[in-house]
Amino acid sequence: MNAIILLGPPGAGKGTLAESLRDETDFIHVSTGDMLRAAIKAGSPIGPGAKVFMEKGELVPDPVILGIIKERIAQAAGDARFMFDGFPRTLEQAKLFDQLLTEIGGTLLKVVNMSVPDDMLIRRLSGRRICKACGAVYHMVNIPPKTEGICDNDGAELYQRPDDNEETVRNRLSVYKNQTAPLISYYREQDLILDVDASMTPGSTYAFTLEALNG
Ligand code: AP5
């Protein structure tokens, strides 16, 4: 198994970049945030516990996250290539992931470090809207749908994520700085970091990243 990691604060555009990369490469997109939201919706046993942390913008405990990651990897072929979005998010998760890679003979190819100024992150998150049916992600100003509040793909209604309110967003940014940003040094020491200025347009961010990953 080979993998890349998309590392960046809330609203950096990890999900948006992952969607474009997925369309043009063979990477399987694995978003722990999406998996947790799906678990809550499906009424899975981990759902209620995870929901409490997510609503506050806190991190879901490491053992729960490692459990869903192991389960997802086990479902794929041995030579699958994964693109992790939002995982790992703590040093403990990163170390356990290293152990897992060693156990299964996997290789971490690159860690894409997406940086965006805080004021831009807040604007991106407060304007984000998501399709209730297909999950397509829009932004009211940057990437608006053709008709306000309606998905271009299927005509379904768009909604705002409950953790995209201003108070929770500020907590998510602070959690990122305290618990996730230390991973940048961790992976830089392993010479795995690819720095990306993710304040560019979605198209430019994608083109730069794809070229750097291929180069
Ligand atoms: P998660 O769902 O992973 O949220 P996040 O990391 O906070 O990231 P977001 O999904 O908010 O942002 P994004 O970077 O994907 O940006 P997007 O592309 O949507 O996690 C949610 C919660 O789950 C966590 O708080 C935690 O509780 C829990 N969790 C998840 N993983 C965990 C883990 N490993 N450990 C513990 N807990 C975990 O873009 C944002 C907006 O900007 C959109 O509107 C988009 O259209 C727009 N946009 C994107 N790119 C651009 C661009 N280049 N220019 C202009 N606008 C853009």
Side-chain angles (χ1 to χ4, degrees):
M1 186 267 272
N2 288 337
I4 62 170
I5 289 169
L6 304 184
L7 179 65
K14 302 182 293 295
T16 302
L17 176 62
E19 289 297 306
S20 302
L21 287 172
R22 190 184 59 180
D23 291 345
E24 292 296 324
T25 66
D26 58 354
F27 283 113
I28 300 170
H29 178 201
V30 175
S31 156
T32 40
D34 287 350
M35 289 163 87
L36 291 167
R37 282 183 287 277
I40 293 168
K41 201 169 167 192
S44 123
I46 63 161
K51 191 170 178 221
V52 174
F53 291 98
M54 293 170 80
E55 278 175 352
K56 290 188 287 193
E58 299 289 335
L59 295 183
V60 174
D62 294 336
V64 175
I65 300 297
L66 261 298
I68 62 173
I69 287 290
K70 281 185 182 168
E71 201 177 308
R72 182 64 190 86
I73 291 174
Q75 288 164 0
D79 60 353
R81 283 152 52 88
F82 285 96
M83 171 169 48
F84 292 102
D85 156 5
F87 169 84
R89 236 161 157 120
T90 62
L91 273 175
E92 182 64 13
Q93 287 181 21
K95 288 176 185 168
L96 290 169
F97 185 52
D98 283 348
Q99 274 175 28
L100 179 64
L101 287 172
T102 306
E103 278 164 32
I104 63 175
T107 305
L108 180 55
L109 304 170
K110 276 281 170 224
V111 177
V112 179
N113 173 34
M114 304 173 69
S115 42
V116 176
D118 277 6
D119 56 340
M120 193 180 267
L121 293 174
I122 291 168
R123 283 199 299 275
R124 283 187 185 178
L125 291 173
S126 59
R128 173 164 57 187
R129 296 293 182 273
I130 302 168
C131 174
K132 279 187 171 165
C134 72
V137 177
Y138 297 87
H139 186 278
M140 289 194 316
V141 178
N142 305 339
I143 309 159
K146 290 187 185 111
T147 308
E148 196 184 324
I150 302 294
C151 179
D152 293 348
N153 300 335
D154 49 28
E157 201 185 331
L158 305 183
Y159 76 100
Q160 184 170 30
R161 250 170 62 175
D163 59 347
D164 277 349
N165 68 76
E166 193 176 330
E167 190 190 342
T168 311
V169 163
R170 288 195 189 279
N171 192 39
R172 286 162 61 200
L173 291 178
S174 142
V175 166
Y176 175 80
K177 281 179 190 143
N178 294 328
Q179 299 190 53
T180 308
L183 295 184
I184 300 168
S185 316
Y186 179 77
Y187 287 123
R188 207 178 287 287
E189 280 161 20
Q190 298 177 47
D191 204 18
L192 286 170
I193 289 281
L194 166 64
D195 287 305
V196 172
D197 171 5
S199 65
M200 299 184 287
T201 62
S204 302
T205 304
Y206 163 64
F208 176 89
T209 309
L210 186 63
E211 196 182 327
L213 286 173
N214 287 335

